[in-house]
Amino acid sequence: MDLWLKELQIENAAMTYKVKETLHTEKTAYQDLAIVDTYEFGRMLVLDGIVQTTIRDEFVYHEMITHIPLNTHKNPRKVLVVGGGDGGAIREILKHPSVEKAVLCEIDGRVVELCKQYMPEISCALSSPGAEVFIGDGIKYVMEHKNEFDVIIVDSTDPFGAAEGLFNINFYKSLYDCLTEDGIFVAQTETPFYLPQVVKKVYHDIKAAFPITRMFMAAIPTYPGSYWSFTMGSKVYDPTTVDTFTIPDMDTRYYHKDLHKACFVLPKYVKDLIEG
Ligand code: SAM
């Protein structure tokens, strides 16, 4: 008998993945956690029934959420990741020679431990000298650290449960205070196809907290709608005016210097949504 993982992407639409083996399941202090091995996407981290990251397509999300802000900032030295317990963002951040320290603030230590055990391709950099792992609530951490980080990446689950407080204007204002004077932050900001009102509200909340606000997109096969938004709040640097000739060739599979600006060219329905 075949075993299939069904992920409800929105109330009336789902994706299903044929499962080779269920590697681990548990209820942590924060969420239901599963790691399953699938025929099409390899090992997957699933939290509260939602696919977070997979061996086969994680490179898209982790490259775009990191290299866009890090190649926009003129000299990123200290970087914070809120969430991101799988370690993919940290792995990509440490490809930037200017980065002296990459701090991960993940609320659920079991995500870090199990991704180290079952998804080393993604979590491999968490034990690097330049990485520091802090287990705690990102909301509290950001409030307690002022004028400290050049780039902050909010690599969170969807806006419910522990992550709900990561999607509001008060958090964005505390991010502003946690950033240095020319700091940049980027958050994953959900699917404009299935959750337009969420995307619109988040964009305008970020716009209310930052002088420069830009949305960019990436095609992620396992994410709802397969077309995902990220929103940048920046104090000084505009990603769409970066001289892409200065961007070095990098060890990537999705991100490249021409895409650095092109990803900010939005489809009309998304442009109309956030500008409306
Ligand atoms: N990086 C993956 C991807 O490709 O989308 C998924 C994101 S990562 C697994 C999301 C993490 O955010 C989860 O491990 C979750 O525990 C964490 N998280 C949720 N709310 C948080 C909070 N308030 N502070 C810190 N981490 C939080």
Side-chain angles (χ1 to χ4, degrees):
M1 183 189 76
D2 292 338
L3 179 64
W4 291 78
L5 165 71
K6 183 177 97 172
E7 180 201 33
L8 207 53
Q9 293 204 331
I10 195 80
E11 193 183 350
N12 301 313
M15 282 275 277
T16 58
Y17 302 94
K18 194 173 179 183
V19 173
K20 203 182 286 182
E21 185 183 357
T22 300
L23 298 170
H24 185 93
T25 60
E26 80 175 70
K27 190 166 186 54
T28 76
Y30 295 94
Q31 49 215 334
D32 287 327
L33 182 154
I35 295 184
V36 297
D37 191 4
T38 66
Y39 286 94
E40 199 57 47
F41 286 91
R43 279 156 284 130
M44 283 183 173
L45 168 67
V46 183
L47 296 176
D48 288 334
I50 297 169
V51 174
Q52 296 295 313
T53 195
T54 85
I55 294 297
R56 184 165 175 197
D57 75 348
E58 58 87 9
F59 68 96
V60 180
Y61 174 96
H62 290 128
E63 288 179 16
M64 291 302 280
I65 204 170
T66 54
H67 301 317
I68 294 286
L70 286 160
N71 282 332
T72 297
H73 196 284
K74 290 284 175 287
N75 183 28
R77 289 171 303 150
K78 203 167 171 191
V79 182
L80 170 65
V81 176
V82 173
D86 51 81
I90 294 290
R91 179 196 67 203
E92 293 303 311
I93 290 164
L94 293 178
K95 289 180 180 175
H96 291 258
S98 66
V99 173
E100 297 159 6
K101 183 185 267 190
V103 177
L104 180 87
C105 178
E106 161 61 59
I107 201 166
D108 192 342
R110 290 298 287 154
V111 171
V112 174
E113 291 156 21
L114 291 163
C115 287
K116 280 183 175 178
Q117 182 178 352
Y118 290 105
M119 305 180 91
E121 302 92 328
I122 302 177
S123 61
C124 49
L126 288 176
S127 311
S128 304
E132 179 184 309
V133 177
F134 176 85
I135 300 303
D137 187 338
I139 299 167
K140 186 168 177 296
Y141 186 95
V142 165
M143 297 281 281
E144 292 172 351
H145 293 76
K146 304 286 185 201
N147 189 31
E148 190 167 333
F149 294 95
D150 301 307
V151 172
I152 299 177
I153 291 162
V154 183
D155 173 9
S156 75
T157 38
D158 299 319
F160 61 82
E164 189 171 1
L166 304 177
F167 291 82
N168 72 47
I169 189 161
N170 294 328
F171 179 62
Y172 300 137
K173 286 178 177 173
S174 63
L175 284 173
Y176 187 97
D177 295 337
C178 184
L179 286 164
T180 49
E181 61 186 8
D182 61 349
I184 295 175
F185 110 92
V186 168
Q188 71 84 359
T189 49
E190 302 292 324
T191 158
F193 187 79
Y194 283 130
L195 297 173
Q197 293 318 309
V198 169
V199 171
K200 180 175 182 155
K201 179 177 182 316
V202 164
Y203 178 83
H204 286 284
D205 284 352
I206 294 171
K207 199 171 169 68
F210 283 85
I212 298 170
T213 303
R214 298 280 183 272
M215 180 176 283
F216 60 96
M217 307 293 292
I220 308 177
T222 53
Y223 276 26
S226 300
Y227 194 45
W228 205 254
S229 79
F230 301 82
T231 304
M232 176 188 287
S234 179
K235 291 186 177 182
V236 171
Y237 307 120
D238 184 338
T240 62
T241 63
V242 165
D243 176 0
T244 52
F245 286 106
T246 64
I247 295 176
D249 289 333
M250 299 188 72
D251 167 24
T252 56
R253 295 165 58 202
Y254 188 91
Y255 174 85
H256 60 84
K257 62 177 68 178
D258 298 332
L259 195 60
H260 186 96
K261 283 184 181 173
C263 67
F264 288 92
V265 178
L266 302 176
K268 193 170 182 304
Y269 83 96
V270 180
K271 202 165 173 299
D272 291 347
L273 173 71
I274 61 175
E275 290 177 359

